Amino acid sequence: MSEKAILRGALLAARRLLTPEDVRKTAAVLASAASAVPELAGARTVAAYVSVGREPGTHALLDTLRARGVRVLLPVLMADNDLDWAVFEGAEHLVPAGRGLLEPHGVRLGPRAVLDADVVLLPGLAVDERGMRLGRGGGSYDRVLARLASAGAHPALVVLLYDDEVVARVPEEPHDHPVDAVVTPAGARRFRPGTTPRVS
């Protein structure tokens, strides 16, 4: 078993110990902490995602961003594991999709729609002191990050995590990209000083 697989297993086991109330309370704190991060406060378009299960909750943050007039893009998982995107128009417009996910019910904008984002919120299981992120291993966001890089797009990359998921080191591979910031209930931490939202 690889280093990444072992660490993923341990982190997912820790998340399974969280109660629905733990997740709900953390989501509210995360929404407040994330909203104060300059990258998000100044963004016009944010590519985000809908949290499921015991992931750090994004629902309150999605509502906050939309209420502020931010254009929020949400992913739509395609058959090949790549991501299409659609605009978030409220929780009532989210529909069940495969793998227990929720997706926006709306016009599909294509995989390149993410290039319009000032900030990309990335799901993850951990981030280390260098800003290296450990994802779930499905590869969908690796494709997103490669697409951004090949287009010369540089949105701020932000991960939402629980406090104990900021670790000393995560295993990395050549295709892995560092993120700009992590937001936990304890607050935000930047890994590339001076990062500012891309103005479109």
Side-chain angles (χ1 to χ4, degrees):
M1 189 178 289
S2 72
E3 272 190 276
K4 280 189 173 182
I6 292 168
L7 183 55
R8 281 188 186 106
L11 292 162
L12 287 168
R15 283 188 178 181
R16 284 194 289 272
L17 298 176
L18 297 170
T19 67
E21 182 66 7
D22 292 332
V23 176
R24 187 190 66 76
K25 285 181 179 177
T26 301
V29 176
L30 272 175
S32 177
S35 296
V37 172
E39 287 83 350
L40 282 164
R44 298 176 187 173
T45 298
V46 173
Y49 62 95
V50 183
S51 60
V52 294
R54 291 178 174 85
E55 284 186 308
T58 63
H59 294 259
L61 178 57
L62 296 178
D63 289 337
T64 298
L65 290 171
R66 183 167 177 266
R68 220 164 56 199
V70 176
R71 181 174 180 252
V72 179
L73 303 177
L74 294 179
V76 178
L77 187 65
M78 300 191 293
D80 65 355
N81 255 15
D82 205 347
L83 298 179
D84 200 336
W85 299 88
V87 174
F88 175 56
E89 296 179 342
E92 66 275 18
H93 295 287
L94 297 176
V95 296
R99 305 184 192 179
L101 301 173
L102 290 171
E103 296 179 345
H105 175 70
V107 176
R108 303 309 191 233
L109 303 175
R112 291 180 61 82
V114 72
L115 302 181
D116 294 333
D118 303 304
V119 177
V120 177
L121 293 180
L122 301 167
L125 292 172
V127 70
D128 71 17
E129 294 173 351
R130 304 164 300 162
M132 299 306 297
R133 177 186 71 100
L134 179 69
R136 284 181 171 265
S140 297
Y141 279 88
D142 290 332
R143 295 191 193 191
V144 169
L145 293 172
R147 183 168 290 123
L148 291 167
S150 66
H154 300 286
L157 305 176
V158 180
V159 183
L160 304 180
L161 295 174
Y162 296 110
D163 291 325
D164 59 358
E165 293 173 343
V166 179
V167 300
R169 180 183 171 275
V170 300
E172 66 178 283
E173 296 174 53
H175 63 268
D176 290 332
H177 293 254
V179 300
D180 298 296
V182 61
V183 180
T184 72
R189 177 176 175 182
R190 279 174 188 74
F191 301 104
R192 290 197 270 177
T195 298
T196 56
R198 178 171 61 83
V199 178
S200 54

